[in-house]
Amino acid sequence: MADSPVTQHGANSGEVPAEATPQEQKQMEQAYAQMKRKMSMAEIGRKIKHKVMVLSGKGGVGKSTVSTGLALALAQQGLKVGILDIDITGPNVPKMMGLDGRRLHVESGRIHPAQGHLGVKVISMAFLLDNEDTPVVWRGPIKLGAIQQFIGDVEWGDLDYLIIDFPPGTSDEPLTVAQSLPDIDGMVIVTTPQDVALLDSRKSITFSESLKVPVLGVVENMSGYTINGKATANSEVQIAGPAGKTLKATADGEGNFSITIDIFKEGGGKSTADEFGVPFLGALPFDPGFVRGGDDGVHRIVSEPEGPSAVAFAKVVAALQDQIVDSSGSGLEII
Amino acid sequence: MSEEMPNLTRFERRDVDVALTYDDGSEFVITYDDLRHACPCAKCSPMRNEDEASKTLRRQVEAHPKEKPQVRTVGNYALGFEWSVGCSSGIYRFERIWDLANRRDPDNGRPYVHGAW
Ligand SMILES: Nc1ncnc2c1ncn2[C@@H]1O[C@H](COP(=O)(O)OP(=O)(O)OP(=O)(O)O)[C@@H](O)[C@H]1O
Ligand SMILES: [Mg+2]
C-alpha cells in the first residue's frame, strides 16, 4: 500500500522507534486499511444522496429487472444513478445494463464503476468472475468481506441514487450492507401476484424490521400482460380475457388501444402492502421485452423509452420518490 | 458545482415565469420557456447539444401554451414540474435551478452524453 503511513523503518530516525515485528506491522496495516475504508464509507454516505435496497423473499421475481428499471427510470429524469449488484452467485445486472463481460476497473486502489445505459454506473460481483457461466460459491466471511470492500472502495462520485440489488432470500448480505452503508433510505420489496411469492414478501417486510431499514414500498412485478392494437378511432374494443371476463378499452383518436390482461391473480402486491401498512408503489406489466433485454443487453426502458413498461416504471419511481421526502426540503414555499 | 448555493425558500408561479427567493435574500426570475428548455431528462438534454436541435427544442417549448406547472418536491434535492403538454419528465436539482436563476448554463457547457456527467 503506497500511501500507508505505516512505514517499514522509523521515518524520523532521530528518536529510534521500537521496530515493529512483521506481524505487528501487518496488523497495523490492516487496521489502517480498515480505518480508511470506514472513512470512505462515511464519505460515500454523504456523496450519495439516496440509497435504496431492492429485496424479495423468493428468487426470480424480478429484483434485478426492477433494480435496473428503477435506475434507468431515475436516469431518464436526468438524475445521477448507480447500481450495486450484490448477487455473487448469479449476478445478472451487467447483462441487463449492456455491460456483459466487463472486468473490474481498479485505479490507484479505488474501484471504478462501469457505465451502462443512460450513464448509470454499475458495480457488480460479476466483474470479479472469470467466467460468468460458473457461479462462484463463496464462503460466508469471504463473501461479506467482498461486499464491504465493494461498498468502501468504489469511487461512485456524486450520486442522487444508489440502487442495491440483492440475491434472493433474507440472508446475510442485506444485513452487511445495512451495517456498512450509512443512512439507507429504505427497501423496495418486489413481489409477483402469485401466493407463494406473496408469502415470501411478507417475510421480507418482517425482515426489514430487524434490519431497522424502512420499507419504502412494494412493487408488483409481472402483474398483467398488455396488448396493443389498432381499431377504428374512438371506438370501443372488447376482448375475451381469462376466467370468462370481458375486457374493454376505447381506442384513441388515432385508433390505438391497449388492454392489460391479468395473467395471475390481480392485486396481490397491493393486498400485501395494505396488510402490512406499507406503501404500494405500483405494478409492472408482464413484458416479454424484459427477457429479450436480459439476453441482448438492451434493457426494455432503453429499447422502448416510452413504451408501457417504461411508463409503468416511471410511475413506480414517482411513488418511490414520494416516499423519500426529506424534512429539510420542506422549508420551501410553493405558491 | 456551485459551492455556496443558498436554500430556495419561495417558488412563486406567475403567468409566464416563476419568481424565486433564496434564504440569503436574493431574488430571481426564470421564465417558463427557459425552465422547459433546460429540461434535464434523457430525451430533451441531447437536443441541447447542437445549436440547430437546441433551437428546435426552444421553438417547441415556446409553442406550448403559457401555463403554470404543477410543482412537486423530489426528496430534499430537486423539483419536478408537471405541464399539461410537452415534457414533464425532468427532475431539476436545486443546483440546476440556481444555475438557471443566475443565467448560467446548467449543463456547464458540456454536451450531454449519456453518462458524461
Ligand atoms: N415484468 C416482466 N415481464 C416479463 N419477464 C420478466 C419481468 N420481470 C422479470 N422478467 C424475467 O424473469 C426472469 C427473472 O428476472 P430477474 O432476474 O430480474 O429476477 P431476480 O428476482 O433478480 O432473480 P434472482 O432471484 O435469480 O436474482 C428474467 O428472465 C427476466 O427477464
Ligand atoms: Mg437478480
Side-chain angles (χ1 to χ4, degrees):
Chain A
M1 201 161 275
D3 54 347
S4 167
V6 187
T7 44
Q8 211 61 42
H9 304 283
N12 305 321
S13 45
E15 45 193 91
V16 194
E19 197 81 3
T21 66
Q23 201 189 350
E24 280 170 340
Q25 181 73 31
K26 205 166 172 199
Q27 276 172 356
M28 279 154 75
E29 296 227 349
Q30 272 173 359
Y32 174 70
Q34 182 126 37
M35 186 190 75
K36 231 175 64 170
R37 187 163 295 150
K38 258 217 171 107
M39 278 165 54
S40 73
M41 281 190 194
E43 185 179 315
I44 285 169
R46 265 187 295 109
K47 285 173 96 177
I48 303 176
K49 290 194 188 116
H50 298 293
K51 296 141 212 132
V52 175
M53 303 164 70
V54 177
L55 297 174
S56 74
K58 206 179 138 210
V61 298
K63 279 177 306 302
S64 302
T65 303
V66 169
S67 301
T68 49
L70 289 178
L72 289 166
L74 287 161
Q76 269 186 330
Q77 298 180 331
L79 297 174
K80 301 172 188 176
V81 189
I83 304 185
L84 176 59
D85 175 17
I86 291 288
D87 198 342
I88 293 183
T89 41
N92 46 12
V93 166
K95 215 167 207 168
M96 295 178 178
M97 294 301 290
L99 295 169
D100 210 4
R102 284 296 172 97
R103 287 289 149 267
L104 207 59
H105 175 61
V106 182
E107 227 180 88
S108 342
R110 304 286 292 163
I111 302 170
H112 290 258
Q115 290 205 345
H117 302 302
L118 302 182
V120 172
K121 296 187 176 178
V122 181
I123 280 292
S124 169
M125 294 289 178
F127 297 164
L128 290 175
L129 309 182
D130 288 332
N131 180 347
E132 261 150 60
D133 299 328
T134 48
V136 252
V137 186
W138 300 53
R139 277 180 297 114
I142 298 180
K143 184 171 73 177
L144 300 181
I147 292 174
Q148 276 181 332
Q149 181 155 14
F150 260 17
I151 293 176
D153 294 351
V154 176
E155 198 62 59
W156 290 106
D158 288 310
L159 290 184
D160 293 310
Y161 278 88
L162 179 66
I163 307 290
I164 310 163
D165 184 28
F166 286 92
T170 48
S171 48
D172 296 338
E173 292 92 342
L175 189 63
T176 304
V177 170
Q179 286 170 345
S180 321
L181 201 58
D183 307 325
I184 293 177
D185 290 87
M187 53 173 78
V188 167
I189 296 185
V190 183
T191 179
T192 65
Q194 292 131 300
D195 271 331
V196 219
L198 279 184
L199 270 177
D200 281 305
S201 59
R202 287 185 189 135
K203 224 164 50 191
S204 313
I205 290 174
T206 323
F207 178 60
S208 116
E209 284 158 14
S210 62
L211 276 191
K212 301 205 169 48
V213 171
V215 176
L216 295 169
V218 173
V219 174
E220 182 174 309
N221 188 29
M222 309 194 214
S223 86
Y225 183 62
T226 302
I227 52 167
N228 300 300
K230 273 242 181 235
T232 315
N234 304 312
S235 65
E236 191 181 80
V237 182
Q238 291 197 0
I239 281 192
K245 262 203 293 185
T246 305
L247 304 168
K248 291 178 190 169
T250 310
D252 67 12
E254 279 152 30
N256 299 309
F257 73 90
S258 72
I259 291 182
T260 299
I261 303 169
D262 292 302
I263 301 169
F264 306 116
K265 210 174 76 180
E266 73 191 278
K270 180 149 177 34
S271 64
T272 315
D274 288 347
E275 188 183 329
F276 279 83
V278 296
F280 180 64
L281 299 177
L284 301 169
F286 182 90
D287 178 353
F290 281 120
V291 187
R292 267 199 309 279
D295 294 339
D296 63 19
V298 183
H299 196 283
R300 196 56 169 157
I301 293 191
V302 176
S303 63
E304 233 180 65
E306 274 157 287
S309 294
V311 170
F313 262 111
K315 279 192 194 147
V316 168
V317 156
L320 178 69
Q321 286 171 322
D322 281 345
Q323 292 306 315
I324 306 182
V325 176
D326 256 274
S327 48
S328 47
S330 60
L332 174 63
E333 190 188 2
I334 298 170
I335 307 158
Chain B
M1 181 142 290
S2 28
E3 243 121 73
E4 276 161 62
M5 183 182 69
N7 291 315
L8 183 61
T9 52
R10 201 177 134 100
F11 187 100
E12 186 191 345
R13 286 167 291 172
R14 306 191 300 194
D15 289 339
V16 299
D17 56 24
V18 48
L20 306 169
T21 311
Y22 286 86
D23 66 354
D24 62 355
S26 56
E27 292 178 8
F28 301 91
V29 170
I30 305 176
T31 66
Y32 293 143
D33 286 347
D34 284 345
L35 195 62
R36 299 182 69 157
H37 184 237
C39 176
C41 89
K43 221 173 77 185
C44 299
S45 293
M47 290 189 75
R48 290 190 299 274
N49 285 357
E50 288 164 29
D51 285 348
E52 271 321 302
S54 182
K55 279 182 205 154
T56 307
L57 178 65
R58 185 77 202 185
R59 278 193 293 272
Q60 283 169 2
V61 159
E62 286 175 357
H64 293 319
K66 303 290 172 255
E67 52 162 342
K68 294 181 188 182
Q70 303 279 9
V71 184
R72 67 182 175 115
T73 52
V74 181
N76 61 345
Y77 62 94
L79 296 179
F81 306 106
E82 190 78 41
W83 310 90
S84 67
V85 287
C87 182
S88 300
S89 312
I91 296 291
Y92 293 64
R93 265 176 275 134
F94 286 123
E95 286 90 347
R96 187 172 198 82
I97 296 171
W98 177 242
D99 280 342
L100 288 170
N102 285 282
R103 302 283 177 276
R104 279 196 298 262
D105 171 12
D107 302 323
N108 242 328
R110 281 166 309 188
Y112 177 89
V113 182
H114 289 318
W117 28 255

